[in-house]
């Protein structure tokens, strides 16, 4: 009895050690990576696809949470066990494409999709050589959220699509005031951010310059335009205007939905946060205004569906079938209903769209279609983007660690080094 | 040990040995290999010799990271061990509610790092944080993690680690304290030693084996610090070069930049430094550690 018990215990321990998650799909199974499952991709679509294609393919859904999924995906690609389809952080799509991990979707798009049915963002995964390494899951655009009640209280006109930085500053100044007369400001006009998508990139684009050249070979940081753009944020803060409440420009979103700030730059997925935290807030959204040189942009993050290039043909077919299913009119209508991670990319959704909350969703879509801009994803993106993130944070801080000119020069050199290195490794 | 017992021992040890081989030694060996490779995960590793080390060693970020982690260790370890001794003494009493107090002191150790960091970000806020509000009554003010002085930032973060870690160290210290023979303490009583003399001349020397163990463990933890620096200073946009630590750099190299070779080289550099410190600590053991 004692011996048997010991054997059982030993077997259980062995089982515990070896009972690890098997990342490899069993033979004949097509594994589709849907990070965070129904909370990112509407569950109705996932279920609908399985119901429709379940007879054709033996489908297995990997719905690992988003952050963990991206790490797992790296390991899957490294070990050759990645799912046939995955939703990839947009910043990594180009590098994965150049490294041969992502399938070039251009031939499939040309064969099966009528691109006129989609907004131009469908091509956002295209590289300089015309390869398409991924197609967007949705468009999460940077926009200005504004509180209509705070505007009404001061009798200020709501922002319009053709507004400018000067308009925005004028409005922000009028909306920054001390209501109770205690010498402290109670309301502020504008809140800006520090990160790439709702911070330094829209600002730089508004001043007419991208951080790297279009062919991703030259850094463009140590320039008068970038200096002007970054100085603007200092001026909005404690550099003179004091129209923003945050000395460090770190977004505390509650400031906005607690109605202390009139305008806030954010991604449209912020609508979901507002629905949960402030469902009765009277607000709308507007595109980012045109910068001093007249440049207007609509930066959006298109996390991408990508097909694992090293999968077998059946798996690739299943993955492409899913993408087509996801882009069908029926599925895109479902996406519009749930607004998971941004706006859908099929035009018909907007043609039949009725009244929305916020009201100006159509205006934003138009903005993306007219002047949409991705996060400049390309070779070495994750590294040079982090370098600029850090430099920008230091540059706009009250007390930067070194002279601001030096920050720009050093950042220019560091970004150039990363680009040179990444381009040297690029598989053409 | 009889052959039969040895057989059973091996049988029970096998799962752990397999686990160690697969999940510890195998990655360790490969990380040595990767430290000499250019490896971006997507493509097979390419041998580059000492290039990763040649890139790390002259990089100011590397040495600033070690400077910060040593400053962190120097402010965190002594204070934490000292406080653990004080708390262990307080908890080593025959009180009816002693169980309750022990739980209270241990609770911070159970709190997840992310939650702790979120709360302390608010507490440390220079503009509206409650700590500055309290300090203002005494005419004091600090920028804490927003300070431009790296040492202020590092000590602010080590204070959080002390708060979070002192409970578990108190448990170790309490166990060591309860292991002190009552005969020794009674003999000291008979000789007329007061509580302070007993603490410093009897208890302290007998606690040195535990202090030594905690020092060994803490230095490893301090050099490997990650969560608080990444969560409170990164904010999704990376940690400033002046405030980074080796763990954060390693994470960025491996998981953000996908430069696995550089990250592996960084981890082996850290391993070498911690190894040297541990050897020095072990060599000094016989000079100050007293075994009963």
């Amino acid at each position: 009895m004692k011996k048997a018990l010991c054997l059982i215990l030993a077997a259980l321990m062995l089982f515990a050690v070896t009972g690890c998650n098997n990342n490899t799909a069993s033979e004949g199974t097509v594994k589709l990576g849907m990070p965070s499952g129904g909370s990112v991709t509407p569950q109705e679509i996932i279920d609908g696809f399985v119901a429709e294609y379940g007879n054709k393919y033996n489908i297995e859904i990997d719905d690992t949470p988003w952050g963990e999924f991206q790490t797992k995906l790296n390991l899957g690609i490294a070990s050759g066990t990645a799912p046939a389809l995955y939703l990839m952080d947009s910043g990594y799509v180009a590098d994965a494409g150049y490294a041969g991990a992502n399938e070039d979707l251009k031939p499939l798009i040309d064969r099966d999709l009528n691109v006129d049915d989609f907004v131009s963002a469908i091509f956002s995964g295209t590289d300089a050589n015309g390869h398409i390494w991924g197609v967007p899951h949705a468009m999460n655009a940077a926009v200005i959220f504004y509180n209509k009640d705070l505007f009404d209280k001061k009798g200020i006109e709501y922002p319009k699509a053709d507004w400018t930085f000067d308009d925005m500053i004028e409005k922000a100044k009028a909306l920054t005031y001390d209501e109770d007369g205690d010498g402290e400001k109670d309301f502020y006009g504008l809140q800006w951010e520090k990160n790439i998508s709702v911070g330094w990139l829209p600002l730089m684009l508004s001043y007419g310059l991208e951080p790297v050249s279009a062919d991703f070979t030259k850094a463009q940081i140590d320039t008068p335009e970038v200096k002007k753009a970054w100085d603007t944020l200092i001026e909005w803060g404690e550099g003179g205007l004091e129209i923003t409440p945050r000395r460090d420009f770190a977004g505390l979103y509650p400031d906005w939905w607690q109605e202390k700030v009139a305008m806030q730059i954010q991604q449209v997925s912020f609508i979901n946060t507002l629905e949960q935290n402030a469902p009765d807030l009277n607000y709308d959204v507007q595109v980012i205004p045109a910068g001093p040189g007249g440049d207007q942009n609509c930066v959006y993050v298109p996390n991408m569906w990508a097909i694992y290039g090293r999968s077998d043909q059946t798996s690739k077919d299943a993955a492409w079938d899913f993408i087509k299913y996801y882009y069908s009119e029926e599925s895109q209508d479902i996406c519009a209903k749930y607004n998971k991670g941004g706006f859908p990319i099929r035009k018909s959704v907007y043609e039949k769209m009725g009244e929305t909350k916020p009201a100006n969703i159509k205006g934003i879509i138009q903005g993306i279609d007219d002047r949409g801009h991705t996060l400049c994803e390309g070779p070495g993106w994750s590294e040079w983007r982090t370098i600029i993130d850090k430099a920008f944070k230091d540059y706009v801080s009250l007390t930067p660690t070194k002279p601001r000119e030096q920050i720009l020069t050093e950042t220019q050199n560091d970004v150039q080094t990363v680009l040179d290195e990444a381009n040297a490794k690029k598989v053409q | 040990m009889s052959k039969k017992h040895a057989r059973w021992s091996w049988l029970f040890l096998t799962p752990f040995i397999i686990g160690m081989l697969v999940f510890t030694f195998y990655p360790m060996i490969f990380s040595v290999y990767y430290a000499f490779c250019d490896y971006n995960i997507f493509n097979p590793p390419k041998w580059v010799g000492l290039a990763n080390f040649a890139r790390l060693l002259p990089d100011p970020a590397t040495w600033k990271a070690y400077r910060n982690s040593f400053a962190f260790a120097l402010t965190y370890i002594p204070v934490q061990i000292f406080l653990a001794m004080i708390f262990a003494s307080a908890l080593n009493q025959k009180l009816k509610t002693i169980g309750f107090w022990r739980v209270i002191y241990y609770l911070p150790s159970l709190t997840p790092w992310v939650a702790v960091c979120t709360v302390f970000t608010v507490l440390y806020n220079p503009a509206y944080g409650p700590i500055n509000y309290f300090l203002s009554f005494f005419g004091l003010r600090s920028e804490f993690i927003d300070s431009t002085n790296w040492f202020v930032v590092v000590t602010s973060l080590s204070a959080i680690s002390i708060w979070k870690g002192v409970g578990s160290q108190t448990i170790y210290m309490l166990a060591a304290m309860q292991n002190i023979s009552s005969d020794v303490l009674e003999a000291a009583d008979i000789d007329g030693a007061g509580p302070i003399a007993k603490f410093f001349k009897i208890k302290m020397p007998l606690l040195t084996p535990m202090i030594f163990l905690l020092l060994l463990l803490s230095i490893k933890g301090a050099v490997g610090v990650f969560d608080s620096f990444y969560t409170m200073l990164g904010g999704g946009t990376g940690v400033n070069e002046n405030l980074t630590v080796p763990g954060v750099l390693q994470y960025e190299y491996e998981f953000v930049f996908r430069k696995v070779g550089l990250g592996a080289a960084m981890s082996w550099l850290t391993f070498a430094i911690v190894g040297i410190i541990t050897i020095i600590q072990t060599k000094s053991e016989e000079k100050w550690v007293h075994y009963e």
Side-chain angles (χ1 to χ4, degrees), chain B residues 73-145:
Chain B
L74 288 174
T75 50
Y76 151 74
I77 298 171
V79 177
Q80 175 153 284
I81 291 178
F82 178 73
L83 286 178
M85 271 170 46
I86 304 281
F87 291 155
S89 297
L91 293 174
N92 193 22
Q93 310 293 328
K94 285 173 185 156
L95 294 174
K96 270 190 180 172
T97 53
I98 200 69
F100 170 76
W101 291 111
R102 284 176 187 172
V103 170
I104 291 292
Y105 279 92
Y106 192 68
L107 267 182
S109 305
L110 302 174
T111 321
W113 261 115
V114 175
V116 170
C117 292
T118 308
V119 170
F120 270 90
T121 303
V122 177
L123 290 176
Y124 276 160
N125 188 290
Y128 52 79
I131 298 181
N132 260 336
Y133 178 71
F134 174 75
L135 289 176
S136 68
F137 292 117
F138 306 97
L140 300 170
R141 190 175 189 283
S142 175
E143 295 286 307
F144 299 111
I145 58 171

Side-chain angles (χ1 to χ4, degrees), chain A residues 106-243:
Chain A
K106 183 155 191 331
L108 301 173
I109 291 173
D110 289 346
R111 189 189 70 195
D112 292 340
L113 296 183
N114 178 10
V115 291
D116 294 336
D117 291 342
F118 300 92
V119 295
S120 54
I122 192 164
F123 294 116
S124 49
T126 310
D127 74 3
N129 300 321
H131 303 295
I132 300 178
W133 301 121
V135 285
H137 173 266
M139 301 173 294
N140 199 5
V143 297
I144 302 288
F145 282 74
Y146 62 93
N147 184 313
K148 291 166 89 170
D149 288 342
L150 292 182
F151 272 69
D152 291 344
K153 199 168 153 187
K154 298 296 271 183
I156 295 167
E157 200 184 357
Y158 299 148
K160 289 182 179 156
D162 59 351
W163 63 328
T164 64
F165 266 40
D166 285 343
D167 295 335
M168 182 169 72
I169 291 165
E170 281 312 307
K171 290 179 196 302
K173 277 188 234 144
L175 289 158
T176 302
Y177 58 98
D178 168 17
E179 191 175 52
D180 54 17
D182 66 352
E184 298 278 331
K185 285 171 183 163
D186 301 304
F187 295 94
Y188 284 90
L190 176 67
Q191 187 148 281
W192 204 268
E193 292 287 327
K194 282 187 296 187
N195 61 27
I196 178 170
S197 55
V198 286
W200 54 264
L201 185 60
L203 208 53
M204 284 167 74
L205 295 174
S206 299
Y207 276 80
L209 197 68
E210 306 207 21
V212 297
S213 59
D215 60 358
F216 300 101
T217 57
K218 286 194 173 51
Q220 302 180 149
I221 303 297
D222 194 7
T223 64
E225 290 90 343
V226 172
K227 186 169 165 29
K228 268 189 215 162
W230 290 15
D231 283 343
T232 299
L233 200 56
I234 297 170
E235 192 194 351
W236 289 350
E238 300 191 10
L241 295 177
E242 296 182 11
I243 51 177

